[in-house]
Amino acid sequence: MTVPTATAPDAPAEARSKGYGRVMLKISGEALMGDQGYGLHPPTVQRIADEVKSVHDMGVEICMVIGGGNIFRGLQGSAQGMERATADYMGMLATVMNALAMQAALEGRGIHTRVISAIRMDEVAEPYIRRRAVRHLEKKRIIIFAAGTGNPYFTTDTAATLRANEMNCEAIFKGTKVDGVYDRDPKKFPDAVRYDTVSYDEVLQKHLNVMDASAIALARDNNLPIIVFSLDEPGGFRGILAGKGTYTRVHG
């Protein structure tokens, strides 16, 4: 059973009002490339760092998982004939590069940040030790979990859900390019319907594009809500924690 984490005593009332003292922010690697077709777009990285800082300033403890699709995606490599495990390990290394870029942006804003990798690379990141990671959060450091779970065949969605449970996060915030979960792609279908709330089982049964099935099942089994919101909306992350904004809540 997930044990709730108390919000920091000195956190402003707007953070305490929603009951989120510790959260996981999951974003895709593509979110870091802006309008480019590949790689990192520094102004976009800086903008997202500003969003994260605004929530950190509320006293909320933050974990992050960033995908690697802007650099290399294991499934695509596998589809092109590469052996799946090798392709997935290459994707994990891409997530480390994104994590280091985000760490640099956050530390440039005066926020102590730790990159924790599921694959040992001691010169650039800490190895994953759960109790040490929890202690970093208690010291108000932002943690960026990199290299997925350290295993092939698992996505960064599953990694984010696993780490969120291990860190006793109260919710996963999934930052996307749309303001919630729709019954179909709202960019292709203007009449797409947005859900205010949706159950884990509905997500699985209707094949809604939230997270992969393993991540949804893991969240459901541990009663961990998923908040889907637009990362492109300025102030959207902070706004939801303050009880404002548009989003979809996935829960039991």
Side-chain angles (χ1 to χ4, degrees):
M1 187 175 91
T2 302
V3 179
T5 303
T7 304
D10 58 347
E14 62 176 347
R16 294 197 300 269
S17 66
K18 296 302 292 181
Y20 294 119
R22 181 179 296 172
V23 300
M24 167 65 73
L25 174 62
K26 168 63 171 70
I27 61 177
S28 67
E30 288 87 347
L32 302 185
M33 66 186 187
D35 295 329
Q36 300 175 155
Y38 177 83
L40 289 159
H41 183 236
T44 300
V45 175
Q46 299 292 335
R47 179 183 62 79
I48 294 174
D50 285 334
E51 294 283 328
V52 174
K53 181 180 184 299
S54 71
V55 172
H56 180 266
D57 289 346
M58 296 169 73
V60 178
E61 297 171 2
I62 303 171
C63 308
M64 295 182 68
V65 168
I66 306 172
N70 57 319
I71 299 172
F72 188 88
R73 185 180 292 277
L75 280 173
Q76 290 177 352
S78 178
Q80 294 172 6
M82 185 177 294
E83 193 265 330
R84 173 65 189 272
T86 298
D88 280 352
Y89 280 119
M90 291 173 67
M92 292 179 213
L93 297 180
T95 71
V96 177
M97 295 172 68
N98 285 338
L100 292 173
M102 183 57 63
Q103 179 185 41
L106 289 168
E107 291 193 335
R109 287 155 174 73
I111 301 173
H112 294 294
T113 309
R114 296 290 185 272
V115 172
I116 298 180
S117 173
I119 298 174
R120 291 193 70 103
M121 45 187 80
D122 295 345
E123 287 76 14
V124 297
E126 292 186 9
Y128 176 66
I129 300 171
R130 187 182 68 85
R131 289 182 180 274
R132 180 184 292 176
V134 170
R135 186 59 179 150
H136 285 319
L137 289 172
E138 292 171 347
K139 290 183 177 180
K140 307 306 176 189
R141 297 165 180 160
I142 290 178
I143 294 178
I144 307 172
F145 291 108
T149 66
N151 302 287
Y153 301 97
F154 289 91
T155 67
T156 51
D157 281 344
T158 301
T161 310
L162 173 64
R163 298 300 185 223
N165 279 302
E166 290 179 303
M167 295 297 104
N168 293 328
C169 293
E170 281 116 11
I172 298 174
F173 282 73
K174 175 76 181 285
T176 70
K177 291 187 175 295
V178 294
D179 59 357
V181 178
Y182 287 77
D183 61 346
R184 48 186 175 165
D185 189 345
K187 294 186 177 180
K188 296 179 180 178
F189 302 95
D191 61 342
V193 177
R194 188 182 64 81
Y195 296 89
D196 287 327
T197 64
V198 63
S199 72
Y200 304 113
D201 289 337
E202 283 183 281
V203 169
L204 294 172
Q205 291 165 6
K206 297 179 180 179
H207 302 286
L208 301 177
N209 188 22
V210 179
M211 289 180 160
D212 66 77
S214 297
I216 294 296
L218 183 58
R220 178 191 61 192
D221 293 346
N222 292 277
N223 198 30
L224 179 67
I226 303 167
I227 311 297
V228 182
F229 71 104
S230 174
L231 196 64
D232 290 340
E233 181 69 27
F237 187 22
R238 180 186 177 96
I240 294 169
L241 285 157
K244 306 171 186 175
T246 303
Y247 58 91
T248 297
R249 181 182 175 89
V250 182
H251 60 97

